[in-house]
Amino acid sequence: MISPLLRVGILLLLLVGNLSGEEPLVATKPVRQIDFRDPVPYGLQPVAYGTGTLTDPVSLLNEQLIQQKRELKFDTEWGYLREVLKQLQLPESSQLMVYSRTALNPRIINPDNPRVVYFNDDVYLGWVPGARSMELASIDPLRGTIFYELDLKASAKPRFVRSDRCLACHAGDSSLRVPGLLVRSFLTDDHGRPISGYSQISHDKPLEKRWGGWYVTGTHGDMLHLGNVFGRETIEEFRTNPALRANLTRVDQFFDTTKYLSPDSDLVAHLVLDHQVHAHNLITRVGMEYQLGLESDALQRLVRYLLFLDEAPLTAPVKGTSGYQDWFACQGKRDSQGRSLKDFDLKTRLFQYRLSYLIYTDGFQKMPAGARLRILKDIYEFLNANDSTLKADWDVEPQNFPIAERQVILQIVAETLDELPEFWKTTAVSSK
């Protein structure tokens, strides 16, 4: 991080006067220090999680349905699934299959009938054949993850209904004690019942700990993961032969994939989901702490995470099966040289330029302005740091995050980020 002395200087300058006209980097009201593991009282004002106007994508779509400006068409084969994906711009290629019974509808989720998840940068949708409803999680800039259900029966007026029953699991330690998202990794028995695993997955976890309870399609060389493995006998075999079900490009040998829009559970989409979910939870935690006058080290953790400083490396090239990789890259904002934060690497790490694309989302852009500015300031300081500062304040070896890459990131952000802070605009940035 930036040095304590520099931090103090910045804070003093902002408290004395704000010459740029931007909101101060810190709240002027008293701040109470808390531990990162402490719960956040998100039901209190001004967060008021259960009340107030929402601006998340599902809420906005719902309002348009109520006003009859848009409609959901029912399909005899897929019900509302394909229509909702279209309306919320969720790509079918993002489909991921999970057979672990760690979600709603556990009685019908198993390796023969996995639940599928579709997602983009702001919205997540869960659906399983035979369920009465689909579940959605949608990111609101001030209130974090909002949960909804949509009845799957044909209706003249289909509506998304807000549901707080998800908070029983989605507001605990694994989601950072705020309403958030979960990616878990559990080896299961033949019925999808968890046996052992991990309750919180992020891009920091090595691949050999990921994707238990999930189907995975794609190639990954000699790297290992826990996907595609279920049943006690298979698990015992897997322990002596960890490559047992690795590098599978199809999973129809395990169940009937024709029940789903796609036969894929794309490896690259898995990698993106693992990054994105924890980032969303950190952004929510930082935003709620700021609104409530609380402060832990969540902001510092978020900055490191957005910069991928603790990302588990890839030791072999990876490739998916569904076309998700191409779809995702096409969504990226590009600078004058055609570079984007959504450009993949997929050889030694997830992305070519290590700053998260989530800085473009409403969840980040519309979070409390003071918190957003502090985060961008810390990122900017890292990207401009000299070698000694990288090592002393960030515990990063300069060769592991070279200046050439940092200069490209500075340029991409300078040309593509809306409401760019003045300090980023006025500093000359190399385009090399």
Side-chain angles (χ1 to χ4, degrees):
M1 297 299 168
I2 64 177
S3 68
L5 182 60
L6 180 56
R7 167 84 65 183
V8 169
I10 292 171
L11 297 184
L12 286 175
L13 175 62
L14 291 164
L15 290 172
V16 170
N18 182 19
L19 300 180
S20 71
E22 295 177 339
E23 181 173 332
L25 300 186
V26 295
T28 56
K29 61 184 178 181
V31 173
R32 180 166 66 88
Q33 297 294 321
I34 61 172
D35 189 86
F36 182 66
R37 294 165 294 184
D38 290 341
V40 174
Y42 53 82
L44 301 180
Q45 294 287 353
V47 175
Y49 178 78
T51 61
T53 302
L54 298 171
T55 60
D56 66 278
V58 174
S59 179
L60 296 178
L61 174 57
N62 218 26
E63 186 62 29
Q64 291 187 314
L65 293 174
I66 292 171
Q67 297 176 4
Q68 298 184 337
K69 295 180 179 179
R70 294 168 79 172
E71 62 176 337
L72 293 181
K73 299 176 182 178
F74 186 84
D75 180 273
T76 54
E77 182 177 8
W78 299 107
Y80 289 114
L81 177 60
R82 184 160 265 163
E83 179 73 3
V84 172
L85 294 178
K86 177 182 176 181
Q87 295 278 2
L88 291 171
Q89 299 181 325
L90 301 169
E92 292 182 15
S93 62
S94 71
Q95 176 183 282
L96 297 174
M97 300 172 169
V98 55
Y99 52 81
S100 174
R101 293 185 174 186
T102 52
L104 292 178
N105 298 306
R107 289 179 295 178
I108 60 174
I109 296 173
N110 56 64
D112 290 325
N113 198 58
R115 183 176 186 245
V116 288
V117 175
Y118 303 91
F119 69 101
N120 60 18
D121 296 356
D122 307 285
V123 181
Y124 304 80
L125 183 153
W127 176 86
V128 58
R132 295 179 179 179
S133 63
M134 68 172 66
E135 304 95 40
L136 300 100
S138 184
I139 307 301
D140 183 86
L142 298 179
R143 294 179 177 85
T145 305
I146 311 298
F147 299 95
Y148 300 89
E149 293 184 52
L150 175 68
D151 196 307
L152 293 177
K153 293 187 297 184
S155 171
K157 297 181 178 180
R159 298 289 184 267
F160 300 96
V161 178
R162 185 171 177 180
S163 172
D164 287 339
R165 64 173 175 158
C166 300
L167 296 180
C169 295
H170 285 263
D173 291 342
S174 297
S175 66
L176 311 185
R177 308 302 294 273
V178 295
L181 302 154
L182 301 175
V183 176
R184 295 166 168 167
S185 176
F186 285 97
L187 291 173
T188 80
D189 64 16
D190 285 315
H191 304 286
R193 291 185 291 246
I195 296 174
S196 64
Y198 306 90
S199 294
Q200 186 185 77
I201 296 297
S202 68
H203 70 222
D204 299 344
K205 280 279 195 299
L207 253 63
E208 59 261 29
K209 295 183 179 180
R210 301 195 209 179
W211 308 334
W214 298 78
Y215 286 115
V216 181
T217 58
T219 55
H220 45 87
D222 58 1
M223 290 189 297
L224 302 173
H225 59 76
L226 301 177
N228 307 322
V229 176
F230 54 88
R232 294 185 184 276
E233 291 184 5
T234 303
I235 291 172
E236 287 303 313
E237 185 180 356
F238 171 75
R239 297 191 193 284
T240 59
N241 177 21
L244 177 65
R245 291 181 177 176
N247 291 296
L248 298 183
T249 58
R250 51 189 296 176
V251 289
D252 55 0
Q253 65 269 42
F254 303 120
F255 68 103
D256 180 10
T257 59
T258 63
K259 297 187 294 182
Y260 300 87
L261 292 177
S262 162
D264 300 299
S265 188
D266 190 279
L267 184 151
V268 176
H270 272 290
L271 290 170
V272 172
L273 182 76
D274 293 347
H275 161 69
Q276 189 171 294
V277 161
H278 191 62
H280 274 311
N281 292 344
L282 282 167
I283 291 169
T284 296
R285 171 93 194 203
V286 170
M288 287 187 174
E289 284 187 9
Y290 189 91
Q291 293 176 77
L292 293 164
L294 305 172
E295 185 174 60
S296 68
D297 64 345
L299 188 143
Q300 290 75 27
R301 291 172 184 255
L302 173 59
V303 171
R304 287 191 70 87
Y305 195 81
L306 293 176
L307 288 162
F308 294 88
L309 296 187
D310 303 300
E311 178 188 14
L314 300 177
T315 58
V318 299
K319 185 178 181 180
T321 57
S322 72
Y324 174 80
Q325 177 179 334
D326 293 335
W327 174 88
F328 182 90
C330 286
Q331 310 306 307
K333 290 189 174 184
R334 301 194 172 274
D335 70 2
S336 56
Q337 297 190 41
R339 302 169 300 196
S340 168
L341 297 183
K342 285 198 167 185
D343 288 342
F344 286 110
D345 176 79
L346 300 180
K347 298 179 181 67
T348 62
R349 57 181 186 255
L350 181 53
F351 293 110
Q352 186 173 357
Y353 307 114
R354 287 171 287 179
L355 175 61
S356 179
Y357 57 90
L358 292 176
I359 65 169
Y360 299 114
T361 63
D362 280 355
F364 184 84
Q365 286 286 77
K366 295 180 181 179
M367 71 187 301
R372 174 183 179 273
L373 199 58
R374 279 185 59 184
I375 295 163
L376 290 176
K377 185 68 173 179
D378 280 4
I379 291 172
Y380 181 81
E381 294 291 344
F382 172 84
L383 296 174
N384 282 290
N386 58 37
D387 289 357
S388 60
T389 300
L390 282 185
K391 295 176 69 173
D393 296 344
W394 296 84
D395 192 27
V396 173
E397 293 295 331
Q399 68 270 22
N400 293 336
F401 211 128
I403 184 62
E405 181 188 350
R406 286 185 278 138
Q407 288 177 336
V408 171
I409 294 170
L410 283 164
Q411 187 68 29
I412 292 172
V413 174
E415 293 188 26
T416 59
L417 186 65
D418 295 334
E419 299 184 25
L420 192 68
E422 198 63 34
F423 60 77
W424 210 305
K425 294 179 186 177
T426 56
T427 301
V429 177
S430 171
S431 62
K432 298 180 181 180

